[in-house]
Amino acid sequence: FADVRDQFRKWREESGRHSDEVVQLWVAVLEDKVQKTGNERHLILEQVIVAALDTARFDIATKCTKQLSEEFPGSLRVMKFKAMRLEALEQYDAAMEVLDAIIEKDETNAAPRKRKIAIKKARGLRLDAIKELNAYLKKFMSDQEAWQELCNLYMSEGEYGKAAFCMEEVLLHNPHSHLIHQRLAEIRYTMGGLENIEIARTYYSQAIKLNPHNLRALYGLFLCCSYLANSKAVSSKRKESQKLAQWALEQASIHTASHTSIKNNEKFIASLDSAFGGLEIKSN
């Protein structure tokens, strides 16, 4: 019993789900002894509810939710778990009603608003999810995860300009992340056109400056510079782009050779060089 309780605590501290193991240990050990866990009992019940919903053990989720509901009637936290159970059962309309009731009681609660967006996304209503997420960000403008999610939704709809704006908002909150610079560069590169490729080159360069081992950014920089070297830009910019493309390719080759487990891979690298050299962006 003590070992299982400590294991549950460790998983909570590490923010690990381990849903299958949680449900198995709950049924085998903790279910009949949960009263002995003291102050941790409520945390364990919540942990088991989430694990049970992950593994489609709705009987366990219902039983644990009922225990919390009897002890804390009218609790918004318990109402959230009820909504999650309805959502797992695909009773979306009923789940939305519960979430709306939570928001009505506490307008500053971000969790139910996010659940509503997740439900609309799960139902394939991406445009409604985008509308809801925009409304959410007007109230919670510093939520980086929400901006990233909105970026993904816009990209799934082909709205790359709006997706770039969302990533710029994320970049304002975390300007030293090479992955965000890389993501923004990829969006600009996808948009195409001379101006966007130049902007993409700038972001790829910053990503490499923050993390010189970022192979994806090195290849992205090579592609951008190769495009600019063959574009209608002024000759000085074309020459600069050629040099930068060569440098990016050399760095990528060095990193690939130093980390690969394949021996004598020069032939593969040459094939990769040839493949990247054949890529070209054409804007309509």
Side-chain angles (χ1 to χ4, degrees):
F1 164 76
D3 291 341
V4 173
R5 181 194 58 195
D6 294 341
Q7 185 63 62
F8 271 46
R9 184 188 303 135
K10 181 181 179 183
W11 284 336
R12 287 198 305 274
E13 290 172 353
E14 295 174 350
S15 299
R17 298 281 272 256
H18 304 281
S19 300
D20 290 324
E21 293 90 340
V22 167
V23 170
Q24 290 172 10
L25 291 172
W26 168 259
V27 173
V29 180
L30 276 185
E31 186 173 9
D32 298 327
K33 301 178 181 179
V34 68
Q35 298 295 337
K36 297 181 180 180
T37 56
N39 295 331
E40 290 184 89
R41 184 167 67 88
H42 305 120
L43 294 174
I44 290 173
L45 286 172
E46 291 182 354
Q47 188 176 6
V48 172
I49 290 170
V50 174
L53 294 176
D54 284 345
T55 56
R57 289 296 305 271
F58 303 119
D59 54 329
I60 295 175
T62 302
K63 187 176 180 180
C64 293
T65 305
K66 187 177 179 181
Q67 289 186 45
L68 290 173
S69 184
E70 289 174 353
E71 193 165 349
F72 303 101
S75 167
L76 298 183
R77 195 179 181 100
V78 177
M79 288 176 68
K80 183 190 74 172
F81 287 117
K82 289 180 179 178
M84 289 171 64
R85 175 181 167 276
L86 292 169
E87 185 182 343
L89 291 169
E90 296 187 1
Q91 298 177 13
Y92 296 125
D93 293 331
M96 293 288 272
E97 290 178 4
V98 176
L99 293 171
D100 286 333
I102 297 173
I103 294 170
E104 188 177 347
K105 290 183 179 180
D106 183 9
E107 293 185 355
T108 62
N109 195 337
R113 298 178 187 271
K114 286 186 172 183
R115 294 306 327 157
K116 286 181 67 176
I117 295 164
I119 288 173
K120 291 185 177 181
K121 186 180 176 183
R123 300 177 79 171
L125 305 173
R126 283 202 298 261
L127 294 177
D128 290 340
I130 288 171
K131 184 179 178 181
E132 191 79 30
L133 194 46
N134 274 303
Y136 169 85
L137 283 167
K138 288 180 180 178
K139 297 179 181 293
F140 304 92
M141 288 178 280
S142 60
D143 192 331
Q144 295 184 51
E145 289 183 352
W147 282 112
Q148 291 190 50
E149 181 61 32
L150 185 57
C151 173
N152 293 334
L153 287 171
Y154 275 134
M155 289 185 69
S156 65
E157 292 294 317
E159 297 277 0
Y160 296 110
K162 294 178 180 178
F165 173 82
C166 294
M167 285 309 298
E168 286 168 357
E169 288 288 336
V170 178
L171 189 61
L172 289 174
H173 291 94
N174 195 357
H176 300 296
S177 171
H178 68 99
L179 295 174
I180 296 174
H181 284 89
Q182 173 196 306
R183 183 72 184 279
L184 191 48
E186 288 169 350
I187 295 171
R188 288 290 182 180
Y189 181 84
T190 304
M191 292 170 70
L194 186 61
E195 183 180 352
N196 284 315
I197 297 298
E198 287 181 343
I199 295 172
R201 182 183 66 175
T202 303
Y203 283 120
Y204 275 131
S205 299
Q206 184 64 19
I208 295 167
K209 183 178 178 181
L210 292 169
N211 180 13
H213 304 292
N214 188 333
L215 271 176
R216 193 180 180 102
L218 283 167
Y219 282 128
L221 180 62
F222 168 73
L223 292 174
C224 290
C225 292
S226 297
Y227 175 88
L228 294 172
N230 297 314
S231 67
K232 296 179 181 179
V234 294
S235 59
S236 59
K237 282 189 176 182
R238 291 203 301 269
K239 290 179 181 179
E240 179 188 351
S241 297
Q242 276 183 329
K243 291 180 181 178
L244 196 53
Q246 186 61 35
W247 175 85
L249 195 58
E250 288 173 358
Q251 292 298 312
S253 300
I254 291 170
H255 287 306
T256 303
S258 62
H259 290 88
T260 184
S261 58
I262 303 172
K263 296 180 179 180
N264 301 321
N265 62 345
E266 289 82 3
K267 186 186 296 184
F268 298 104
I269 294 176
S271 300
L272 190 62
D273 293 345
S274 176
F276 275 112
L279 290 177
E280 183 180 358
I281 294 178
K282 293 182 179 180
S283 58
N284 296 326

